[in-house]
Every structure is written in C-alpha cells, then in structure tokens.
Amino acid sequence: MQKTQTIFCKYFRRPLLIVAALLAMLVLAFGYMTSMPSQQAPDFLPTAQDNILAGSLEVHVRKLAGPRNEYHPEEYKAAGDYIAATLRSFKLQPTFQKFTSFAREEQNILVRISGIKKTKTIIVGAHYDSHGATPGADDNASGTAALLEIARLLSENPPENDVILAFYANEEPPHFQTETMGSVVHANSIKDVDLMISLEMLGFYSTEPNSQKYPAPLNFYYPDVADFVAVVGPLEDRGIVEDLTAHLRGADMKTFGFSTPKFMPAVGFSDHWSYWQRSIPAVMVTDTAFFRNPHYHRDTDTPETLDYPRMARITSAVASFL
C-alpha cells in the first residue's frame, strides 16, 4: 500500500497540481473579466420620464418594424427615409454615406453633433436593417429607435464631447463581417475617433427565472434572470466597459459588464467589430440577443414583445454618458 501511494504521488501529483493551478487561473481570469466596480442598480421601477420617452421609442419601433434589407428594397428605403425625416424634425442635418453592395446602392445615415468641450469624438451606432423577412423589432429597430431619441436629447442638450450618430445599413448576413457591412464602410472612412458604442438589441427583458442563458462558464458568474442590460468590450478597453457599466447602474438600470479577449465567441457579433479592425476602442450595449430573446431572427420579433420603459432608461443614460 505504501509503495502504491509513493508511485501515485510520483507520477500524478505534479500533473494534478498543474491542472489545479490552471483551473484557479481560469476562475481568476473570468472573475476579472466579469467583475465591475460600483453598486448594482435596484430592481427596475419606471419613472414618469421613462414612460414619456418609452412612448416615443415605441412609435419609432412600430414605424421601422418589418423586413428592411436588399431583399425588400422598398421597405429598406422607407426605413432610411423615416430615419432621415425624424432627424430633420429634431433640427439636425443628416448626411448620407453611399456605397455599393451587390450592385445596389446602400447608405449609412450620419449626424454629427458638436460637443461643449470637444474633449473626445465618440461614435454611437446602430444598424437599421433586419434579417430576411423578419420584422426585426428588437433586432435592430430597438437600437435604431434608441439612437433616434439620443439624437433628439443631444439636440436639446449638447453633449460634452463631439458625437457622431451612425445609422448603419447591411449589418445582417450576407454582409455580416464583410466589406459590404455598413459599419465596415464607415470605420474605414473615419479618423481620430476615441470611442465607438454599438447599440445592438435593447428591447427584450424578462423577470422569469431561467430566462437568461450564457455560453459556459459565464452561467457561473451572471444571473439567470433576463432583467438587465449588458456592456461588452475587449480586455484592452476594460476601463471603458467599467465606466459605462457604472454610469448605467448610476441611472438605476441593472447592468452587467463583460470584458473579454476578442476571440471569445459572440462578443464581436455587431457593428463594434468593424471598429476593432481599425484599432478603435469599441463596446456594445445589448440585451444579449439570442442568449435571451426567443424571437431572435424569427417572425415573432414584433413590437409587442419589447419593454419600452427599460429601453427608455438605457437611452437617456447613454445620452448622458456622452
């Protein structure tokens, strides 16, 4: 028995210690990526201001909802026309970045708002196309609606920094992460930008247990109730993720931050990815998309499924961050 124990210790102790050390390092690494400072916000209670802004957001989502892409060109054009007309109603002057995609002319819609201090230049963007024949209410009429209301808020109360609001064409397949993706076109055309914030699906929430899913092992670090918004960014931009997470929590919106290597699956699944390719700091604000929303890329992604008061809280908080 003594000899058996000696052999075991000789041949297996060191590998076991190595495995234990690696597991400990992984736990610490994920702890670092998921832990964000500042106190978590309380359970959401809509205010009168939230409810007013929620009404405007719902109007935008209902106007935009429906197939919006090159397979439905009339609806795609109508969505762009609505965005431009709404911006003009806020006394803003949109510009149009036109580009060719599959022998068609598409356009990004851009607005620049001068800041009071002009310390930084920040892009806030959202794609306005939808997937296939789906209504695309959460994906991504919700982000587009939020961006429209951010435009209104900033037109009434100028931000501290210079802000470029970008409404992107062609985020969805077959353009996703290719040269015909609207945000790739924009990222390739821009210089001297300090930060990009992507608004990607902001409307779906649930207070039911097990309504939120994650790729393992994130389920050990985050709650299973889909009542929060997430801020996602790369490790090198962890400070930005922390700052925006803290700001949203300070606005009493339950928020979780996640800072991770760029190769982690799904973390680059929106327009912020395009700016990573140009070494521009970029983060995503999201309801976590298919990790939560059962209507993702389905015909059931309709305006009735969205939580507009929570969308309103996020919208006003992002505007005040700028």
Side-chain angles (χ1 to χ4, degrees), residues 9-320:
C9 291
K10 180 179 180 180
Y11 290 102
F12 294 101
R13 184 177 180 182
R14 187 173 180 182
L16 286 173
L17 288 174
I18 292 172
V19 170
L22 289 173
L23 287 173
M25 290 173 63
L26 282 172
V27 169
L28 290 173
F30 273 97
Y32 177 76
M33 289 188 284
T34 58
S35 63
M36 296 288 154
S38 83
Q39 186 173 352
Q40 184 58 275
D43 289 341
F44 181 78
L45 291 174
T47 65
Q49 184 178 359
D50 290 331
N51 289 329
I52 292 171
L53 182 52
S56 297
L57 291 167
E58 184 171 2
V59 168
H60 297 320
V61 169
R62 290 187 178 278
K63 287 285 188 180
L64 292 164
R68 311 177 298 278
N69 48 54
E70 67 269 31
Y71 307 114
H72 301 85
E74 292 184 7
E75 294 88 341
Y76 206 6
K77 182 180 183 302
D81 290 345
Y82 176 77
I83 292 166
T86 303
L87 293 170
R88 292 189 186 103
S89 75
F90 302 150
K91 304 291 192 293
L92 298 170
Q93 292 303 315
T95 60
F96 304 92
Q97 184 180 37
K98 298 183 183 296
F99 60 97
T100 301
S101 167
F102 298 167
R104 281 179 47 82
E105 186 177 77
E106 306 296 0
Q107 61 183 10
N108 296 326
I109 304 168
L110 310 172
V111 167
R112 189 175 187 112
I113 299 176
S114 295
I116 296 171
K117 295 184 178 179
K118 303 180 184 296
T119 308
K120 299 177 181 178
T121 298
I122 300 174
I123 299 169
V124 187
H127 70 91
Y128 66 92
D129 61 324
S130 66
H131 177 73
T134 66
D138 194 23
D139 186 17
N140 188 34
S142 63
T144 303
L147 195 57
L148 283 170
E149 285 303 301
I150 288 171
R152 180 185 63 79
L153 292 168
L154 297 186
S155 71
E156 297 171 353
N157 296 287
E160 179 175 316
N161 301 292
D162 284 345
V163 175
I164 299 169
L165 305 179
F167 300 81
Y168 305 115
N170 290 11
E171 190 267 356
E172 298 286 355
H175 309 285
F176 184 67
Q177 294 189 355
T178 73
E179 292 301 311
T180 59
M181 189 176 178
S183 54
V184 169
V185 173
H186 187 247
N188 288 340
S189 72
I190 202 80
K191 294 181 180 178
D192 302 321
V193 172
D194 297 284
L195 171 63
M196 186 272 175
I197 300 172
S198 174
L199 306 180
E200 177 61 64
M201 300 182 63
L202 299 177
F204 190 84
Y205 302 88
S206 175
T207 56
E208 295 298 318
N210 299 313
S211 54
Q212 180 70 49
K213 308 300 180 186
Y214 310 91
L218 295 182
N219 50 305
F220 294 109
Y221 294 89
Y222 293 112
D224 67 356
V225 178
D227 62 348
F228 64 90
V229 68
V231 180
V232 180
L235 278 176
E236 56 262 40
D237 298 332
R238 189 177 193 275
I240 298 168
V241 175
E242 288 181 352
D243 290 345
L244 186 50
T245 298
H247 185 82
L248 290 166
R249 288 178 180 177
D252 284 346
M253 181 66 204
K254 191 174 288 187
T255 310
F256 287 94
F258 183 44
S259 182
T260 175
K262 291 177 180 176
F263 61 76
M264 185 75 75
V267 300
F269 281 10
S270 190
D271 295 294
H272 57 301
W273 174 89
S274 303
Y275 297 85
W276 289 356
Q277 312 315 303
R278 304 291 294 177
S279 300
I280 296 171
V283 301
M284 172 175 59
V285 182
T286 179
D287 64 14
T288 76
F290 51 84
F291 292 113
R292 167 187 305 182
N293 191 338
H295 310 292
Y296 176 77
H297 284 188
R298 295 178 180 270
D299 292 342
T300 52
D301 183 11
T302 61
E304 293 75 22
T305 64
L306 304 190
D307 185 329
Y308 296 99
R310 278 187 169 86
M311 279 178 60
R313 183 71 59 86
I314 296 162
T315 299
S316 56
V318 170
S320 64

